[in-house]
Amino acid sequence: DSGVTQTPKHLITATGQRVTLRCSPRSGDLSVYWYQQSLDQGLQFLIHYYNGEERAKGNILERFSAQQFPDLHSELNLSSLELGDSALYFCASSRGALAGANVLTFGAGSRLTVL
Amino acid sequence: DQQVKQNSPSLSVQEGRISILNCDYTNSMFDYFLWYKKYPAEGPTFLISISSIKDKNEDGRFTVFLNKSAKHLSLHIVPSQPGDSAVYFCAASGWSGNQFYFGTGTSLTVIP
């Protein structure tokens, strides 16, 4: 158990629908990162929050949004889902705001299947 | 634009031998590098890191080498064990960066 909790583990939904993925960071970590891993692809960075504030945005689609709440948990909202959104979505947390000397601790991921 | 590249999708090694996994990067601003290991149905787990002020970092059977002029790093596993069979990702960032860039991974199989 890495200490990073992601729910749900699996999710099957239809095109056009909206889903919310939830992440609770490891105790004491203030940063949350979201990554997408599609089939045979690497980990694509989506977004980074530190203590409730957005710090960096990657190739995140406009249909996707995220936020980090005062209790530091984060949610990734995916709307108007398309078949190509089927992927593993990972959340990772770290102590600090900046990358240097920090280590990302990953959750087990949420597998989204869009039919 | 893939700033971190792992050009070998897979690698097979005999148990007890050395495994060498390679990673190249294009951004000269990167100065902090990490290796992660991922088993199926699990999230990636941190293995070892190195900053650009060093060219080598060791942790038990794992050693990471950094060649800044070539923008290349490698992970050496000696001796390789069947339990090392997993997908290995390298990641890079600027020390003051706000995101980590990951490669596409190398699937290592250690043959008993």
Side-chain angles (χ1 to χ4, degrees):
Chain A
D1 182 4
S2 67
V4 178
T5 304
Q6 286 189 250
T7 56
K9 287 193 178 350
H10 301 277
L11 190 54
I12 301 173
T13 189
T15 54
Q17 294 298 304
R18 171 189 170 95
V19 299
T20 297
L21 309 181
R22 182 188 168 103
C23 170
S24 294
R26 199 178 56 155
S27 177
D29 286 357
L30 298 176
S31 271
V32 170
Y33 297 75
W34 286 97
Y35 283 85
Q36 179 194 55
Q37 185 183 24
S38 301
L39 195 62
D40 294 333
Q41 298 292 311
L43 294 158
Q44 300 297 317
F45 170 70
L46 295 177
I47 199 161
H48 168 206
Y49 281 89
Y50 174 77
N51 203 22
E53 292 190 7
E54 182 184 304
R55 295 287 299 205
K57 201 177 250 192
N59 294 326
I60 187 167
L61 300 170
E62 283 193 17
R63 301 184 284 109
F64 296 1
S65 65
Q67 59 183 127
Q68 186 180 28
F69 294 87
D71 67 352
L72 301 177
H73 92 271
S74 177
E75 292 181 358
L76 178 67
N77 299 297
L78 316 174
S79 61
S80 302
L81 285 168
E82 301 175 0
L83 295 178
D85 298 327
S86 295
L88 258 175
Y89 291 85
F90 286 105
C91 165
S93 70
S94 69
R95 291 292 158 116
L98 303 178
N102 271 297
V103 170
L104 295 184
T105 301
F106 281 84
S110 292
R111 180 173 292 283
L112 172 67
T113 302
V114 182
L115 300 177
Chain B
D1 179 26
Q2 194 72 26
Q3 299 191 53
V4 178
K5 298 175 186 178
Q6 294 176 256
N7 292 318
S8 297
S10 62
L11 174 68
S12 290
V13 170
Q14 289 285 340
E15 181 180 2
R17 305 293 291 269
I18 184 171
S19 295
I20 300 176
L21 296 98
N22 294 305
C23 178
D24 298 294
Y25 61 96
T26 58
N27 191 332
S28 58
M29 300 299 289
F30 289 158
D31 50 14
Y32 180 54
F33 306 89
L34 307 92
W35 283 93
Y36 281 81
K37 171 176 164 179
K38 185 182 180 306
Y39 292 119
E42 295 183 13
T45 55
F46 170 72
L47 265 180
I48 192 168
S49 65
I50 188 167
S51 72
S52 60
I53 61 172
K54 301 173 84 170
D55 53 20
K56 176 182 171 181
N57 190 26
E58 250 180 291
D59 184 1
R61 297 185 297 112
F62 301 92
T63 303
V64 57
F65 295 91
L66 175 61
N67 182 333
K68 292 182 285 293
S69 60
K71 295 192 182 69
H72 176 83
L73 63 157
S74 61
L75 175 69
H76 292 209
I77 307 173
V78 184
S80 301
Q81 300 173 352
D84 297 329
S85 297
V87 177
Y88 289 79
F89 291 96
C90 68
S93 179
W95 192 261
S96 302
N98 282 292
Q99 60 174 290
F100 292 84
Y101 295 84
F102 281 79
T104 50
T106 296
S107 178
L108 173 66
T109 302
V110 179
I111 304 163

